[in-house]
Amino acid sequence: SCTVNCMENCLNAVTHVECYGSKEEGASANDKKYENCRCGPNCGNRRFQNSSTVKTTMFRESGRGWGLKASQDIKEGDMISEYVGEVIDEEIMQQRMSKQKIFDPRDLNHYVMELTSTLYVDAKYKGNQSRFINHSCDPNCE
């Protein structure tokens, strides 16, 4: 239903789905087949495609391991980073956790994020620096 700029009233943005449209020059028939937006490249809901993320810096937290902090001010609604890793199911996640506990018990680093009730993103080996964003009991971002 969006035609100018997707954000507040856009069903894709509200459901955390990035817009994709075929108004780009040279779009193939296959690209057009999967479009979910008519705004084109100026759409405001294309953060991954436009690589609009916040600049961050890794740092070592004494006694805690690695952390990630913002290198610039963050406005409400800004995307900090894309969490990257392998998408795995519950069985594989449990196997990896058990294996780590047995073969490397001193490694207390876990970079598994729940994606759905049955799927997880494991960033331990195939992740980016977003895996160092620490959890918080009182988070100030989503």
Side-chain angles (χ1 to χ4, degrees):
S1 65
C2 305
T3 55
V4 178
N5 185 8
C6 294
M7 284 317 290
E8 235 175 81
N9 298 321
C10 173
L11 181 61
N12 292 329
V14 170
T15 58
H16 303 289
V17 172
E18 181 150 324
C19 289
Y20 178 80
S22 60
K23 281 190 175 180
E24 293 84 2
E25 285 186 38
S28 70
N30 194 48
D31 288 340
K32 291 178 183 181
K33 180 178 169 184
Y34 295 106
E35 71 181 13
N36 67 1
C37 173
R38 289 179 260 153
C39 292
N42 294 326
C43 170
N45 186 31
R46 295 178 186 226
R47 294 177 184 176
F48 292 106
Q49 294 168 62
N50 297 333
S51 298
S52 54
T53 58
V54 172
K55 290 184 176 139
T56 57
T57 305
M58 289 175 42
F59 69 98
R60 189 86 173 151
E61 181 68 42
S62 179
R64 302 261 185 223
W66 289 99
L68 194 69
K69 59 184 169 184
S71 303
Q72 67 185 73
D73 289 338
I74 302 171
K75 294 183 297 201
E76 184 175 341
D78 282 354
M79 182 170 75
I80 297 170
S81 183
E82 176 183 14
Y83 196 84
V84 176
E86 296 175 86
V87 177
I88 59 175
D89 63 19
E90 175 94 25
E91 182 181 351
I92 293 172
M93 188 268 297
Q94 292 295 342
Q95 288 172 0
R96 289 182 181 184
M97 294 295 186
S98 296
K99 187 177 176 182
Q100 181 172 327
K101 190 174 184 179
I102 293 167
F103 296 109
D104 201 359
R106 294 187 324 161
D107 183 358
L108 303 177
N109 299 309
H110 302 282
Y111 304 108
V112 177
M113 179 181 74
E114 185 177 1
L115 188 59
T116 68
S117 61
T118 59
L119 292 175
Y120 301 84
V121 179
D122 184 355
K124 181 135 184 134
Y125 301 109
K126 295 184 179 180
N128 62 10
Q129 67 182 20
S130 69
R131 69 179 173 227
F132 301 119
I133 295 175
N134 296 319
H135 79 281
S136 173
C137 296
D138 187 22
N140 61 359
C141 65
E142 297 179 7

